[in-house]
Amino acid sequence: MLDIKHTICPSCSVGCGLNIVSKDGAVVGTYPYKRHPINEGKNCLNGRDSILQFEDSIEKASFVKNNELEESDNASVIKAIKDQLASIDASDLAIICSGNNTNEELDKIIEFANAYGCEKIGFYGSNFPNFSGELASYDDINKASTVLVIGDIYRENPLLARRVVLSKENGGKLINIDDVEKSITSLNADDFIQFTDDFNDKVASVKDQLDENSVIIVNKLSSKDDFAVIEELSKESNAKLLPVFNAPNTKGAMNRLDSLDCDEIRNIIDDSKVLIVVKDNLLDYLSEDDIKGKSFIVNISNEKNRFAELSDIVLPGKSWAEKEGTFTNCEGLEQSFIISAECDNDNLSEIEIFDELA
Ligand code: SF4
């Protein structure tokens, strides 16, 4: 029998509604969430492919020996982590969370870190610094006279790009700044400005085209300094600003934890004896040399990847569809989601894992 459950898409920070379709308990597909106000009955391919994460994932708590996972069980692996934690000082522990964690998981992990006395805790923010300033709303984009996009939202955040299309249909102008030669956003832009090492100058060059009816959307940054340049442009022109992220709950993580860049995470790894990483792949932004032979790595994730092979312990946790919680989207809206798939495994949720470790 087919079963349809509403959830929130985990594939970017726009926060679209998504339906998970199951048959006899097994996930078989997705379907757009017709009445959801953000995506209004549409999902992009990234969102529809979200269920592919069910395929070929790690299903057993494992010890890693010589880059190979040796399956074990939750109790043995949790005992091994507790033994490691008991053998070090609080200052030797570091925790890297991610924008894939729900708000409730982040609160639980922070509670654990505080109780343990761990101060080295944060998440990789893709060069976006913590930002608590006023955000443009999605409706601001629909009616903007000019939208400046830094990055390629047509490819990476298509349901937000749809708002830009609506603005263009209303006579709005799209300016795109990027370092690539050609992108989907650039091909749809009225003006495309490619930068090399002159990002500041190229950003400053559009100031006269922006005003209080404009929106600046940024989904790609080379450094935190570049964000300061964009923030300055927003202040000087009165244009509203909307940072957009790859992960569904980066904004929620940003509201609670320090957004770290690669250098900061390298320093944390160099300074710690045990590193707990929750739902993140460090190799997305660090090299193997940054990781190998340093901390004892506890990897809480069910993703089968090279980072799992370089870890010391892998605890799969639950996939997003197997749990409930909230994500805060890039517009600052907190949305709840319920369990939308029952999977045949004995994985603990991240909240249960940190309860056990406490
Ligand atoms: S735009 Fe983002 S949130 Fe919306 S369906 Fe696509 S990947 Fe999911």
Side-chain angles (χ1 to χ4, degrees):
M1 197 176 85
L2 282 183
D3 186 28
I4 296 177
K5 294 249 173 62
H6 300 316
T7 187
I8 301 299
C9 176
S11 293
C12 88
S13 65
V14 175
C16 298
L18 182 74
N19 285 327
I20 299 285
V21 185
S22 306
K23 187 176 179 192
D24 302 328
V27 174
V28 292
T30 63
Y31 191 71
Y33 188 160
K34 293 289 179 194
R35 294 189 307 278
H36 197 279
I38 289 178
N39 47 306
E40 298 172 328
K42 296 169 180 60
N43 288 122
C44 72
L45 187 60
N46 305 338
R48 293 199 300 273
D49 282 352
S50 300
I51 55 164
L52 295 181
Q53 62 177 262
F54 293 113
E55 291 177 6
D56 205 25
S57 56
I58 297 171
E59 293 187 346
K60 283 268 177 208
S62 302
F63 293 98
V64 188
K65 303 263 165 62
N66 300 322
N67 297 342
E68 288 195 9
L69 274 67
E70 293 180 1
E71 290 188 352
S72 179
D73 56 79
N74 290 330
S76 308
V77 162
I78 284 176
K79 181 180 179 311
I81 301 170
K82 284 173 125 171
D83 289 347
Q84 285 289 331
L85 293 176
S87 71
I88 57 166
D89 294 330
S91 59
D92 292 328
L93 173 66
I95 304 176
I96 305 295
C97 302
S98 82
N100 296 312
N101 300 132
T102 65
N103 288 319
E104 294 70 21
E105 289 165 7
L106 292 167
D107 290 339
K108 174 59 70 178
I109 298 165
I110 292 167
E111 184 187 310
F112 166 83
N114 289 341
Y116 189 85
C118 167
E119 293 180 354
K120 286 183 281 204
I121 176 167
F123 72 103
Y124 177 61
S126 305
N127 296 319
F128 286 87
N130 290 74
F131 174 69
S132 55
E134 195 185 338
L135 296 169
S137 71
Y138 295 172
D139 285 344
D140 287 332
I141 303 171
N142 293 1
K143 50 189 190 222
S145 55
T146 304
V147 180
L148 167 63
V149 173
I150 297 166
D152 187 5
I153 65 163
Y154 274 66
R155 183 167 70 89
E156 285 151 23
N157 319 99
L159 269 299
L160 202 60
R162 184 174 157 266
R163 306 276 176 159
V164 179
V165 172
L166 293 173
S167 134
K168 277 167 71 73
E169 282 173 8
N170 292 331
K173 177 176 182 181
L174 169 61
I175 305 170
N176 180 218
I177 298 180
D178 207 333
D179 56 352
V180 298
E181 198 178 335
K182 233 180 238 179
S183 69
I184 307 176
T185 304
S186 74
L187 294 171
N188 284 278
D190 299 291
D191 281 345
F192 171 57
I193 302 165
Q194 190 184 5
F195 70 90
T196 49
D197 53 1
D198 51 356
F199 181 76
N200 296 14
D201 294 343
K202 292 288 161 70
V203 167
S205 73
V206 299
K207 190 177 100 183
D208 292 345
Q209 299 185 61
L210 304 177
D211 59 24
E212 66 277 9
N213 297 315
S214 308
V215 173
I216 303 169
I217 303 172
V218 49
N219 82 347
K220 176 176 166 186
L221 286 171
S222 305
S223 71
K224 287 183 178 176
D225 291 344
D226 285 358
F227 188 77
V229 173
I230 296 164
E231 218 179 338
E232 192 58 29
L233 175 72
S234 162
K235 277 187 195 141
E236 286 180 357
S237 64
N238 290 318
K240 298 187 181 85
L241 182 54
L242 185 65
V244 182
F245 316 104
N246 293 333
N249 198 35
T250 297
K251 185 68 183 160
M254 202 171 262
N255 290 343
R256 290 165 169 79
L257 290 168
D258 288 337
S259 171
L260 306 171
D261 62 21
C262 291
D263 285 342
E264 290 167 317
I265 292 185
R266 271 187 213 104
N267 290 340
I268 276 184
I269 294 173
D270 289 345
D271 261 6
S272 64
K273 289 183 180 158
V274 174
L275 176 71
I276 300 179
V277 182
V278 196
K279 286 263 182 260
D280 197 11
N281 178 359
L282 298 193
L283 294 180
D284 281 346
Y285 48 91
L286 298 182
S287 70
E288 292 196 11
D289 287 344
D290 291 328
I291 299 169
K292 274 186 192 161
K294 298 193 172 166
S295 301
F296 181 92
I297 298 177
V298 177
N299 178 0
I300 300 178
S301 170
N302 54 6
E303 242 186 85
K304 216 176 246 183
N305 53 27
R306 176 68 179 151
F307 177 53
E309 294 169 3
L310 295 181
S311 304
D312 295 281
I313 276 178
V314 179
L315 249 182
K318 295 264 188 209
S319 71
W320 117 96
E322 292 174 273
K323 57 192 174 190
E324 59 187 6
T326 60
F327 286 150
T328 304
N329 75 356
C330 60
E331 193 189 22
L333 178 71
E334 188 174 296
Q335 302 190 91
S336 311
F337 55 94
I338 55 167
I339 295 170
S340 53
E342 303 284 350
C343 295
D344 185 21
N345 61 48
D346 58 359
N347 295 351
L348 299 172
S349 72
E350 285 71 3
I351 288 181
E352 289 168 330
I353 288 170
F354 280 91
D355 272 338
E356 292 279 337
L357 293 181

